[in-house]
Amino acid sequence: MAREHLLLNVENEEDTLHQAPAPMTRRQKWKNWWYYHKFHLLVGLVAIVIGGYLIYGVVTEVKPDYTIVMLSKSGYAGDLMENLGDQLSVYGKDRNGDGKVAISVLDYALGSAGGETDDAQTAEAAQAGMAKLSANLSTFDSVIFISDEASFERLANEGLYAYLDGETPEEGATDYENMYVTWKDCKGLSGAELSSEWYEGITPDDLQKLFGDCRVSLRVIKGTQYENDAGKQEYYADSQELLQHLIDGTPGQMKE
């Protein structure tokens, strides 16, 4: 009887083991699905958010019609460059047809005329500035350059600057006075209402005095690899027109 009792218990246990599990409720199914798929879902959501952010940035990004470079010994505040670009946009034209005129002003610190710097931090900034300038020149992003005296003198013998009519100076030319017009002689620049939150207590008049002797120049295109590039030629001609508007203080026109 004991053996039969044991066998009976085993049979009962086997019946229990082979019984189909009770169907899960809707809540249990959801918890089970979430346990196995939550990581994949979270990764997917993060990817969607990042993708949406990137798409939004591309769609809403304002592409500049012109890029102007400021060259100086130690650099200027970023918000001042943004303000200057906004002030100068009235003198340009809508080159890319997006319905607005946008001018980006880049700031490159180059150190002194001889390349010397006062400290390690300034030296590092000057090296970075020269690297950015080289990259800009290689891609022809900018035609108009605004330089303080030290930066102009540093680059005057490097063949960067053209005459104001766009002609390339002969090799060894030293008539540098024909390669620039001063800031104070450009009505569009000298009349700009400059402002910056970085320079505490500095007035627009103070900023105008700071830039008054800066030299506004065109880079060369004739005799370079871009001379026969139709797109670069058009950009160069438009930049020459922009410079003339800055000199005369006459607004540009929107693209029709």
Side-chain angles (χ1 to χ4, degrees):
M1 291 294 293
R3 182 172 178 274
E4 291 178 357
H5 177 73
L6 291 174
L7 291 175
L8 182 61
N9 287 339
V10 169
E11 290 176 357
N12 290 338
E13 290 177 0
E14 289 181 351
D15 290 342
T16 302
L17 292 174
H18 289 88
Q19 286 181 358
M24 291 188 293
T25 65
R26 186 186 300 271
R27 181 180 179 83
Q28 289 173 326
K29 290 179 179 179
W30 165 250
K31 291 179 67 176
N32 183 66
W33 184 92
W34 176 252
Y35 178 81
Y36 288 105
H37 296 88
K38 60 183 176 182
F39 178 76
H40 302 83
L41 181 61
L42 291 175
V43 171
L45 289 175
V46 170
I48 291 173
V49 171
I50 294 176
Y53 178 79
L54 293 175
I55 293 173
Y56 176 81
V58 171
V59 172
T60 59
E61 179 184 10
V62 177
K63 297 182 174 62
D65 297 286
Y66 309 84
T67 299
I68 295 175
V69 170
M70 292 283 293
L71 301 174
S72 64
K73 178 180 178 180
S74 55
Y76 304 107
D79 65 336
L80 177 57
M81 297 297 96
E82 292 179 10
N83 173 257
L84 177 58
D86 292 340
Q87 291 283 313
L88 301 187
S89 63
V90 67
Y91 300 104
K93 66 181 180 181
D94 178 20
R95 299 187 64 255
N96 56 25
D98 64 357
K100 63 188 72 174
V101 179
I103 296 180
S104 174
V105 182
L106 304 178
D107 170 41
Y108 301 157
L110 304 183
S112 64
E116 299 88 1
T117 52
D118 301 327
D119 53 54
Q121 184 175 3
T122 306
E124 184 177 352
Q127 290 177 353
M130 285 300 299
K132 292 176 182 179
L133 174 60
S134 297
N136 185 292
L137 294 175
S138 67
T139 55
F140 210 87
D141 285 344
S142 302
V143 173
I144 297 176
F145 289 79
I146 303 176
S147 315
D148 64 9
E149 184 177 358
S151 300
F152 184 90
E153 291 178 355
R154 181 175 182 180
L155 299 171
N157 295 322
E158 301 295 330
L160 170 61
Y161 302 118
Y163 292 125
L164 294 179
D165 61 1
E167 293 296 321
T168 299
E170 294 183 5
E171 186 175 355
T174 57
D175 54 337
Y176 304 127
E177 68 277 4
N178 296 319
M179 302 178 195
Y180 69 86
V181 56
T182 60
W183 175 295
K184 60 189 175 187
D185 289 328
C186 296
K187 295 179 181 178
L189 292 170
S190 61
E193 289 292 330
L194 302 178
S195 64
S196 171
E197 295 182 0
W198 181 265
Y199 300 106
E200 186 176 354
I202 299 296
T203 67
D205 288 340
D206 294 330
L207 292 172
Q208 281 294 338
K209 291 176 182 178
L210 174 66
F211 293 128
D213 291 325
C214 285
R215 301 172 180 185
V216 187
S217 310
L218 299 170
R219 66 157 292 168
V220 297
I221 186 172
K222 293 184 179 180
T224 71
Q225 60 181 317
Y226 304 108
E227 183 175 9
N228 297 317
D229 186 316
K232 304 302 186 193
Q233 288 178 337
E234 181 181 5
Y235 181 37
Y236 197 89
D238 289 343
S239 296
Q240 284 183 288
E241 183 180 353
L242 170 61
L243 176 56
Q244 193 60 53
H245 283 303
L246 292 175
I247 294 172
D248 298 336
T250 55
Q253 295 179 347
M254 294 291 285
K255 189 173 182 178
E256 295 181 357

